[in-house]
Amino acid sequence: PMGSERTEMRKRQMSTTQETPGAAPAQHSTGHRGSNACCFCWCCCCSCSCLTVRNQDEERARRTSHELQAEGIPNCEESPAPTLEEVNAWAQSFDKLMLTPAGRNAFREFLRTEFSEENMLFWMACEELKQESNKSVIEEKARLIYEDYISILSPKEVSLDSRVREVINRNMLEPSQHTFDDAQLQIYTLMHRDSYPRFMNSAIYKDLLRSLSEKSIEA
């Protein structure tokens, strides 16, 4: 009797073991379908759509940036090498730094190390816009500036307060050379107060000053 009971128990265990693998795939398959359903209904669908929109925005931003540069915003302004007197003058005031192409180039190089070069690019774009007189060109450049530096979708959006943004949105109804004047002044002030003091203590400025001083002594 004991032997028969053991045999019966083994049969039951084998039967249970055989049934379990069959059930496991079904459970795994159901879980897999549930995961896919979740993925396609939320994770994948929403993430993919968001990524698609983001990629399109980034591509548009790169395109408008390229178009804007083609309209006259150079990667680096052409200028003669600065003199020692000019570089010393940059330390006297931010205005003197921004008055010369060499000063703007050096400052822009510093802003690039702080990942805030868009501030200088925006300021330069506004200066370019002020030089235009053709209405259609003004409207096109204003649109590009808005998309490149004002739009919250742009990776190069500059930091502006809500009041200035409201002014820009009103001005964009009829763009002119002065559409971004308030915004340009705010970014100029931001660079003056925030970035300029660090630039004066940066290796970029000090190395340039030392190099010109040494050349002056040798001469």
Side-chain angles (χ1 to χ4, degrees), residues 9-215:
M9 289 176 64
R10 279 197 297 271
K11 287 181 179 179
R12 290 175 183 172
Q13 290 174 352
M14 291 176 65
S15 175
T16 302
T17 303
Q18 291 173 354
E19 290 174 359
T20 302
Q27 183 178 1
H28 176 73
S29 177
T30 302
H32 187 62
R33 285 196 301 270
S35 174
N36 280 345
C38 174
C39 177
F40 285 107
C41 291
W42 185 77
C43 300
C44 181
C45 178
C46 293
S47 297
C48 289
S49 63
C50 290
L51 286 173
T52 300
V53 172
R54 189 180 308 134
N55 289 338
Q56 290 174 346
D57 292 338
E58 291 177 354
E59 177 61 29
R60 185 172 67 231
R62 284 192 293 269
R63 185 171 62 254
T64 55
S65 176
H66 175 74
E67 291 171 354
L68 190 58
Q69 288 181 5
E71 289 291 336
I73 303 300
N75 287 327
C76 184
E77 291 184 87
E78 294 184 4
S79 69
T83 64
L84 179 60
E85 290 73 20
E86 285 178 327
V87 176
N88 278 320
W90 299 348
Q92 297 173 13
S93 73
F94 183 61
D95 291 339
K96 290 184 177 181
L97 168 70
M98 292 290 283
L99 277 174
T100 64
R104 292 192 294 270
N105 283 336
F107 187 54
R108 182 175 168 184
E109 181 183 352
F110 169 74
L111 292 178
R112 191 177 296 121
T113 67
E114 292 200 334
F115 305 100
S116 58
E117 184 185 12
E118 66 274 4
N119 290 332
M120 177 64 81
L121 292 174
F122 171 68
W123 185 88
M124 291 171 62
C126 292
E127 289 296 296
E128 289 286 334
L129 180 64
K130 290 177 181 178
Q131 306 305 315
E132 294 295 342
S133 57
N134 184 286
K135 188 174 185 298
S136 61
V137 174
I138 289 172
E139 291 177 350
E140 178 65 10
K141 283 197 171 185
R143 180 184 66 81
L144 292 175
I145 291 173
Y146 187 94
E147 290 182 358
D148 228 10
Y149 303 106
I150 309 301
S151 171
I152 60 174
L153 298 177
S154 173
K156 295 195 297 183
E157 176 195 5
V158 295
S159 179
L160 301 169
D161 62 35
S162 58
R163 180 193 65 81
V164 171
R165 287 184 174 277
E166 289 175 3
V167 171
I168 291 174
N169 289 334
R170 289 198 301 269
N171 290 343
M172 285 299 292
L173 296 175
E174 292 185 19
S176 72
Q177 300 101 315
H178 305 289
T179 293
F180 304 101
D181 281 3
D182 286 353
Q184 186 186 21
L185 177 59
Q186 190 168 94
I187 293 303
Y188 187 90
T189 303
L190 175 66
M191 291 190 294
H192 182 191
R193 294 178 178 175
D194 186 57
S195 303
Y196 173 64
R198 290 196 297 275
F199 169 70
M200 298 312 303
N201 290 312
S202 70
I204 291 176
Y205 177 73
K206 290 181 178 180
D207 288 348
L208 178 60
L209 185 62
R210 182 174 60 252
S211 173
L212 292 173
S213 296
E214 292 174 353
K215 289 181 180 178

